[in-house]
Amino acid sequence: MSLKKQLFVVGMGPGNADLVAPKALKAVEQSTDLVAYGLYLDLLGEPCNNKVHHDLPLGEEIGRARLALDLAASGKTTSLISSGDIGIYAMATLVFELLDRQLQGLEDHPEWLDVEIDVVPGISAMQAGASRIGAMLGHDFCTVSLSDLLTPWETIDKRIHSAGEGDFVISFYNPVSKKRDWQLNHARDVLLKYRPASTPVLLGRQLTREDETIRIIRLDELDAKDVDMFTLVSVGNSESRHIINGEKSWVYTPRGYKKKL
């Protein structure tokens, strides 16, 4: 009887335990070993008890993916865990890139190809942020990462212009860092060429977590100094509306039902 080799690639959602999918919890429950950045295991809490934790720091993403495949290939049921949706700017891509490299003969780990992989989606930061303020993603939208660590800035800039011209609602991931503080303001200036200065912008920091903060500002008020790596920045399109009813405030992006109302 062959030994089952199982790797769960798990998105745990934005941080609130109530938003972790049941399938994600089941994957963690079935696993003996958990591979993640330590904060994610802390946020998951009790489900991670009595498991072997493999905590690798930020910047060790390739190491995490390799370790998870190695553990699963050795017969240990393993969960590789990331926040949000693990297929969106997260670890799932690295797992499949390593498998692709093995198939191309660029790696020497044939045992990886025997691993059963189950990708478990999670709620992404852009979905969590939109839900906190109404229905910002109600029409066509896209995401753009402002980190040029892995993607040339020229490519990122082209995508910002294309998204602006296409009038997409845009969620910016990795908006700023200690060494990278000008790209967000550049993106703002680009978008101001395509949509009104009054366009609503969501600044959602530590979404769904205990220290969550939510701000709705105008596009012309967006400034990188008010944002950090824990902040999601979502910019409405030219039709997005910020509506206020007393102390209540929402943002929604209409789909065109006005003609039918």
Side-chain angles (χ1 to χ4, degrees):
M1 182 176 176
S2 61
L3 185 67
K4 186 175 182 181
K5 301 175 180 180
Q6 178 72 59
L7 173 60
F8 296 105
V9 183
V10 180
M12 54 160 276
N16 188 297
D18 291 339
L19 297 179
V20 181
K23 187 175 180 180
L25 291 175
K26 185 176 180 180
V28 172
E29 179 185 336
Q30 292 176 343
S31 298
T32 60
D33 291 67
L34 309 178
V35 181
Y37 171 51
L39 173 63
Y40 304 150
L41 301 180
D42 293 340
L43 289 170
L44 271 176
E46 186 177 347
C48 299
N49 293 346
N50 303 315
K51 311 290 182 182
V52 180
H53 292 193
H54 302 271
D55 174 4
L56 276 70
L58 291 176
E60 294 293 331
E61 286 76 19
I62 296 174
R64 265 182 260 150
R66 288 183 178 276
L67 176 59
L69 283 166
D70 286 341
L71 289 168
S74 74
K76 296 179 179 178
T77 300
T78 303
S79 282
L80 175 62
I81 300 170
S82 186
S83 63
D85 184 302
I86 199 160
I88 300 177
Y89 300 122
M91 294 296 301
T93 297
L94 265 173
V95 170
F96 293 107
E97 188 167 354
L98 288 171
L99 292 175
D100 189 11
R101 284 175 56 84
Q102 175 59 39
L103 288 167
Q104 294 179 63
L106 300 174
E107 299 282 342
D108 187 22
H109 294 279
E111 68 277 9
W112 288 350
L113 300 179
D114 294 328
V115 173
E116 294 291 329
I117 298 175
D118 188 355
V119 180
V120 182
I123 294 172
S124 68
M126 65 177 173
Q127 290 172 292
S131 74
R132 300 293 283 124
I133 62 169
M136 194 173 198
L137 303 180
H139 208 335
D140 297 336
F141 62 89
C142 68
T143 66
V144 176
S145 171
L146 291 182
S147 173
D148 58 359
L149 184 63
L150 301 174
T151 304
W153 174 250
E154 293 76 13
T155 300
I156 297 170
D157 189 39
K158 181 179 179 180
R159 290 171 179 169
I160 297 168
H161 277 277
S162 297
E165 185 175 6
D167 202 24
F168 288 91
V169 176
I170 308 170
S171 293
F172 289 112
Y173 283 69
N174 306 310
V176 299
S177 70
K178 291 180 180 178
K179 297 181 180 179
R180 182 175 46 77
D181 60 1
W182 60 268
Q183 286 92 335
L184 181 61
N185 287 351
H186 174 83
R188 172 203 63 207
D189 294 342
V190 169
L191 293 180
L192 282 169
K193 298 176 181 179
Y194 299 101
R195 59 196 66 178
S198 59
T199 299
V201 175
L202 161 68
L203 301 183
R205 188 176 189 278
Q206 298 283 35
L207 286 162
T208 79
R209 303 177 188 180
E210 290 185 359
D211 52 348
E212 175 191 80
T213 59
I214 298 286
R215 291 180 60 200
I216 301 171
I217 62 174
R218 292 165 47 108
L219 178 57
D220 61 355
E221 296 173 332
L222 178 60
D223 195 305
K225 67 179 175 56
D226 300 322
V227 174
D228 62 17
M229 280 295 286
F230 299 102
T231 307
L232 173 80
V233 179
S234 289
V235 181
N237 70 10
S238 63
E239 307 255 325
S240 296
R241 299 265 297 150
H242 182 196
I243 57 176
I244 300 172
N245 178 22
E247 295 183 357
K248 297 179 181 179
S249 177
W250 303 283
V251 173
Y252 76 99
T253 302
R255 290 185 61 199
Y257 287 110
K258 184 177 181 179
K259 300 173 183 178
K260 297 179 179 290
L261 294 175

